[in-house]
Amino acid sequence: MASINPESLPAPIVTTDKCIIRPYTLSDAEPMAAAANFPEISLYMRNRFPSPYTLENSKFWIDFSMKATPMVNFGIFTLDGDFAGGIGLTPGQDVEYRTWEIGYWVAKHHWGKGIATSALKAFSAWAFKEFPELLKLEAGVFEGNGASMKVLEKANYVREGVRRKAICKKGKVLDQVLFGLLREDLEGP
């Protein structure tokens, strides 16, 4: 981990027993590029997630995220400050403006530690609290990404269906499994 003065970091929006989620800073660019530059990560991401993932890519994403209004993309960090991944929202459009897509990725060296589940649960609750108009969060998972499907299920997302042959990634046609979480799923009846 780079030596960064913790007092210069933005306040976390979420803290769990496994991670913190906070706005990116430019000092996150190098650890982000190193963490994201694995084909196993980009394999299950949209094509706008570059592979290889360079320092310029991370600088672009951090700048984009920091300037966004509202801010909806954040870094995931271990409790000791190690860069562990990213999580964010894409607001819906038109008649789906109250349904937002959620996406996340975790650095390969942090797989299997419960960070993704912890981050997803806490970030989902934060999103519903922060955006009162939000009714639903949804995620689309590429066929073959069983680990992400398990994360969503552990975070109380419901498997809602399959979009058959909806994805073409690196020339391979795949199904997309849809998961959703409603506001009332967190708040109860």
Side-chain angles (χ1 to χ4, degrees):
M1 180 179 81
S3 60
I4 298 168
N5 178 359
E7 294 170 8
S8 67
L9 296 176
I13 61 161
V14 168
T15 301
T16 76
D17 63 331
K18 298 198 181 285
C19 65
I20 64 167
I21 299 171
R22 66 161 172 79
Y24 294 111
T25 67
L26 291 177
S27 64
D28 298 323
E30 285 187 30
M32 175 191 271
N37 194 25
F38 287 89
E40 299 91 337
I41 292 175
S42 65
L43 180 64
Y44 294 116
M45 301 287 284
R46 294 183 186 276
N47 286 340
R48 66 179 174 236
F49 189 95
S51 181
Y53 200 100
T54 67
L55 182 58
E56 287 307 310
N57 297 136
S58 63
K59 287 179 180 178
F60 172 84
W61 181 250
I62 290 168
D63 183 63
F64 171 82
S65 298
M66 289 171 59
K67 290 179 179 174
T69 304
M71 189 178 291
V72 292
N73 295 297
F74 301 90
I76 303 171
F77 300 83
T78 62
L79 295 177
D80 65 1
D82 189 33
F83 185 87
I87 194 163
L89 301 167
T90 303
Q93 301 295 313
D94 199 3
V95 296
E96 295 179 328
Y97 74 99
R98 297 183 77 183
T99 298
W100 293 14
E101 181 180 15
I102 192 165
Y104 54 89
W105 65 275
V106 172
K108 192 174 173 184
H109 62 283
H110 288 297
W111 288 358
K113 298 178 182 178
I115 291 173
T117 302
S118 182
L120 182 61
K121 280 182 180 180
F123 186 72
S124 298
W126 173 85
F128 283 119
K129 182 179 174 192
E130 188 72 15
F131 302 103
E133 72 280 9
L134 183 61
L135 294 176
K136 180 179 183 179
L137 292 170
E138 61 184 19
V141 182
F142 298 179
E143 171 187 346
N145 191 355
S148 192
M149 292 183 208
K150 286 180 186 173
V151 165
L152 285 155
E153 289 167 349
K154 287 179 187 176
N156 300 317
Y157 279 69
V158 174
R159 182 181 168 134
E160 296 184 332
V162 176
R163 295 179 61 223
R164 298 178 303 149
K165 296 185 178 183
I167 304 297
C168 185
K169 180 76 177 190
K170 296 188 178 188
K172 188 174 179 183
V173 176
L174 304 166
D175 291 346
Q176 183 182 44
V177 182
L178 300 177
F179 288 83
L181 182 72
L182 301 175
R183 177 180 291 279
E184 57 261 29
D185 294 339
L186 289 181
E187 296 175 350

